[in-house]
């Protein structure tokens, strides 16, 4: 193994980098003018259904440490076992979230049971339905299948920022800068999910979810520049 790879795979190095990400995000949060809209509706859904599934485009994951109020109930995130996914999982854990790794981009039976068991026990789940490798802004059917199985609602989370960098990644990651304006939005996906659906019907539902997520993201972008 090369020195570069050993450094990249070092748990100590990864923890230090995750700590720097946490410090940066806290600086962004502390120095920004913030507008948050929609959390109260999510809290009500959690109280009524026990848990929710929160979905966020991979492009907008950098503010997901604020996707859920952990003083209200527990929440965990689904992350890939790739380098970037492991790093985001570390950052989330530093903010108090649980983390469920997704090996090789596909959940096995054990991980599926862990997620569904958590939802049924009142542990909400956050995920990027277009991750970990895209295509960007094309939702997979997985969160819809979980919502059907656990009988919990799906909620869209997104953020927008007036000052940010755009990373040259497949998702065009939005990385916020301090001393700007932040808009955070939560919007329930008010779509009744049938008890059973075919593969084609599942793809159609995923397309509906993608369109709704795009609309919420466009609303955040419009509000941050208003």
């Amino acid at each position: 193994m090369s020195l570069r790879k050993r450094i990249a795979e070092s748990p100590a190095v990864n923890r230090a980098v995750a700590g720097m990400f946490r410090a940066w995000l806290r600086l962004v949060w502390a120095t920004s003018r913030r507008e948050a809209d929609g959390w109260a509706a999510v809290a009500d859904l959690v109280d009524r259904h026990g848990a929710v599934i929160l979905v966020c485009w991979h492009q907008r994951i950098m503010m997901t440490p604020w996707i859920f109020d952990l003083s209200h109930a527990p929440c965990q995130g689904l992350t890939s076992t790739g380098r970037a996914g492991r790093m985001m999982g570390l950052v989330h854990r530093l903010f108090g979230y649980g983390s469920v790794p997704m090996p090789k981009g596909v959940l096995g039976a054990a991980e599926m049971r862990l997620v569904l068991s958590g939802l049924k026990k009142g542990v909400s789940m956050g995920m990027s339905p277009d991750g970990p490798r895209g295509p960007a802004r094309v939702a997979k059917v997985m969160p819809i299948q979980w919502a059907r199985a656990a009988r919990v609602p799906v909620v869209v989370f997104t953020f927008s920022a007036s000052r940010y960098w755009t990373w040259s990644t497949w998702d065009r990651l939005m990385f916020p800068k301090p001393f700007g304006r932040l808009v955070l939005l939560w919007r329930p996906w008010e779509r009744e999910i049938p008890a059973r659906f075919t593969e084609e019907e599942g793809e159609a539902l995923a397309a509906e979810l993608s369109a709704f997520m795009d609309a919420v993201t466009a609303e955040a972008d419009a509000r941050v520049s208003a």
Side-chain angles (χ1 to χ4, degrees), residues 11-23:
V13 170
N14 284 318
R15 286 194 298 270
V17 174
M20 288 189 287
F21 273 113
R22 176 181 61 173

PDB file of all heavy atoms in Angstrom, residues 11-23:
ATOM      1  N   PRO A  11      -7.314   5.793  10.381  1.00  0.00           N
ATOM      2  CA  PRO A  11      -8.434   6.247  11.218  1.00  0.00           C
ATOM      3  C   PRO A  11      -8.142   7.570  11.911  1.00  0.00           C
ATOM      4  O   PRO A  11      -9.031   8.424  12.030  1.00  0.00           O
ATOM      5  CB  PRO A  11      -8.610   5.106  12.223  1.00  0.00           C
ATOM      6  CG  PRO A  11      -8.056   3.899  11.530  1.00  0.00           C
ATOM      7  CD  PRO A  11      -6.908   4.411  10.720  1.00  0.00           C
ATOM      8  N   ALA A  12      -6.906   7.753  12.373  1.00  0.00           N
ATOM      9  CA  ALA A  12      -6.550   8.992  13.067  1.00  0.00           C
ATOM     10  C   ALA A  12      -6.637  10.185  12.126  1.00  0.00           C
ATOM     11  O   ALA A  12      -7.155  11.260  12.494  1.00  0.00           O
ATOM     12  CB  ALA A  12      -5.159   8.881  13.662  1.00  0.00           C
ATOM     13  N   VAL A  13      -6.142  10.021  10.895  1.00  0.00           N
ATOM     14  CA  VAL A  13      -6.203  11.104   9.911  1.00  0.00           C
ATOM     15  C   VAL A  13      -7.660  11.411   9.562  1.00  0.00           C
ATOM     16  O   VAL A  13      -8.058  12.579   9.494  1.00  0.00           O
ATOM     17  CB  VAL A  13      -5.407  10.731   8.646  1.00  0.00           C
ATOM     18  CG1 VAL A  13      -5.665  11.754   7.530  1.00  0.00           C
ATOM     19  CG2 VAL A  13      -3.923  10.651   8.955  1.00  0.00           C
ATOM     20  N   ASN A  14      -8.456  10.372   9.354  1.00  0.00           N
ATOM     21  CA  ASN A  14      -9.868  10.584   9.009  1.00  0.00           C
ATOM     22  C   ASN A  14     -10.624  11.291  10.131  1.00  0.00           C
ATOM     23  O   ASN A  14     -11.459  12.163   9.881  1.00  0.00           O
ATOM     24  CB  ASN A  14     -10.536   9.247   8.681  1.00  0.00           C
ATOM     25  CG  ASN A  14     -10.157   8.737   7.305  1.00  0.00           C
ATOM     26  OD1 ASN A  14     -10.102   9.504   6.347  1.00  0.00           O
ATOM     27  ND2 ASN A  14      -9.896   7.455   7.193  1.00  0.00           N
ATOM     28  N   ARG A  15     -10.334  10.918  11.382  1.00  0.00           N
ATOM     29  CA  ARG A  15     -10.983  11.600  12.505  1.00  0.00           C
ATOM     30  C   ARG A  15     -10.586  13.068  12.559  1.00  0.00           C
ATOM     31  O   ARG A  15     -11.415  13.945  12.839  1.00  0.00           O
ATOM     32  CB  ARG A  15     -10.631  10.903  13.820  1.00  0.00           C
ATOM     33  CG  ARG A  15     -11.349   9.572  14.038  1.00  0.00           C
ATOM     34  CD  ARG A  15     -11.223   9.110  15.469  1.00  0.00           C
ATOM     35  NE  ARG A  15      -9.834   8.872  15.860  1.00  0.00           N
ATOM     36  CZ  ARG A  15      -9.208   7.710  15.731  1.00  0.00           C
ATOM     37  NH1 ARG A  15      -9.842   6.664  15.214  1.00  0.00           N
ATOM     38  NH2 ARG A  15      -7.958   7.568  16.117  1.00  0.00           N
ATOM     39  N   ALA A  16      -9.308  13.356  12.275  1.00  0.00           N
ATOM     40  CA  ALA A  16      -8.851  14.744  12.293  1.00  0.00           C
ATOM     41  C   ALA A  16      -9.519  15.563  11.183  1.00  0.00           C
ATOM     42  O   ALA A  16      -9.947  16.700  11.410  1.00  0.00           O
ATOM     43  CB  ALA A  16      -7.326  14.783  12.139  1.00  0.00           C
ATOM     44  N   VAL A  17      -9.622  14.977   9.997  1.00  0.00           N
ATOM     45  CA  VAL A  17     -10.267  15.679   8.886  1.00  0.00           C
ATOM     46  C   VAL A  17     -11.748  15.895   9.187  1.00  0.00           C
ATOM     47  O   VAL A  17     -12.295  16.977   8.941  1.00  0.00           O
ATOM     48  CB  VAL A  17     -10.079  14.894   7.578  1.00  0.00           C
ATOM     49  CG1 VAL A  17     -10.884  15.546   6.449  1.00  0.00           C
ATOM     50  CG2 VAL A  17      -8.597  14.841   7.199  1.00  0.00           C
ATOM     51  N   ALA A  18     -12.406  14.876   9.739  1.00  0.00           N
ATOM     52  CA  ALA A  18     -13.817  15.027  10.110  1.00  0.00           C
ATOM     53  C   ALA A  18     -13.987  16.138  11.141  1.00  0.00           C
ATOM     54  O   ALA A  18     -14.958  16.911  11.090  1.00  0.00           O
ATOM     55  CB  ALA A  18     -14.359  13.709  10.656  1.00  0.00           C
ATOM     56  N   GLY A  19     -13.053  16.229  12.073  1.00  0.00           N
ATOM     57  CA  GLY A  19     -13.100  17.304  13.068  1.00  0.00           C
ATOM     58  C   GLY A  19     -12.982  18.676  12.427  1.00  0.00           C
ATOM     59  O   GLY A  19     -13.643  19.636  12.853  1.00  0.00           O
ATOM     60  N   MET A  20     -12.153  18.778  11.375  1.00  0.00           N
ATOM     61  CA  MET A  20     -12.015  20.062  10.672  1.00  0.00           C
ATOM     62  C   MET A  20     -13.303  20.410   9.928  1.00  0.00           C
ATOM     63  O   MET A  20     -13.721  21.573   9.917  1.00  0.00           O
ATOM     64  CB  MET A  20     -10.824  20.003   9.716  1.00  0.00           C
ATOM     65  CG  MET A  20      -9.477  20.021  10.426  1.00  0.00           C
ATOM     66  SD  MET A  20      -8.068  20.203   9.307  1.00  0.00           S
ATOM     67  CE  MET A  20      -8.028  18.580   8.556  1.00  0.00           C
ATOM     68  N   PHE A  21     -13.932  19.401   9.305  1.00  0.00           N
ATOM     69  CA  PHE A  21     -15.212  19.643   8.652  1.00  0.00           C
ATOM     70  C   PHE A  21     -16.241  20.128   9.672  1.00  0.00           C
ATOM     71  O   PHE A  21     -17.008  21.062   9.413  1.00  0.00           O
ATOM     72  CB  PHE A  21     -15.723  18.375   7.976  1.00  0.00           C
ATOM     73  CG  PHE A  21     -15.218  18.177   6.572  1.00  0.00           C
ATOM     74  CD1 PHE A  21     -14.371  17.137   6.268  1.00  0.00           C
ATOM     75  CD2 PHE A  21     -15.610  19.037   5.558  1.00  0.00           C
ATOM     76  CE1 PHE A  21     -13.910  16.943   4.972  1.00  0.00           C
ATOM     77  CE2 PHE A  21     -15.163  18.859   4.254  1.00  0.00           C
ATOM     78  CZ  PHE A  21     -14.309  17.798   3.970  1.00  0.00           C
ATOM     79  N   ARG A  22     -16.294  19.474  10.839  1.00  0.00           N
ATOM     80  CA  ARG A  22     -17.257  19.886  11.864  1.00  0.00           C
ATOM     81  C   ARG A  22     -17.007  21.328  12.283  1.00  0.00           C
ATOM     82  O   ARG A  22     -17.960  22.124  12.399  1.00  0.00           O
ATOM     83  CB  ARG A  22     -17.161  18.967  13.084  1.00  0.00           C
ATOM     84  CG  ARG A  22     -18.079  19.395  14.227  1.00  0.00           C
ATOM     85  CD  ARG A  22     -17.971  18.496  15.445  1.00  0.00           C
ATOM     86  NE  ARG A  22     -16.630  18.494  16.016  1.00  0.00           N
ATOM     87  CZ  ARG A  22     -16.302  17.892  17.154  1.00  0.00           C
ATOM     88  NH1 ARG A  22     -17.220  17.230  17.829  1.00  0.00           N
ATOM     89  NH2 ARG A  22     -15.062  17.926  17.607  1.00  0.00           N
ATOM     90  N   ALA A  23     -15.745  21.690  12.505  1.00  0.00           N
ATOM     91  CA  ALA A  23     -15.427  23.053  12.925  1.00  0.00           C
ATOM     92  C   ALA A  23     -15.843  24.059  11.853  1.00  0.00           C
ATOM     93  O   ALA A  23     -16.382  25.134  12.161  1.00  0.00           O
ATOM     94  CB  ALA A  23     -13.937  23.170  13.226  1.00  0.00           C
TER      95      ALA A  23
END
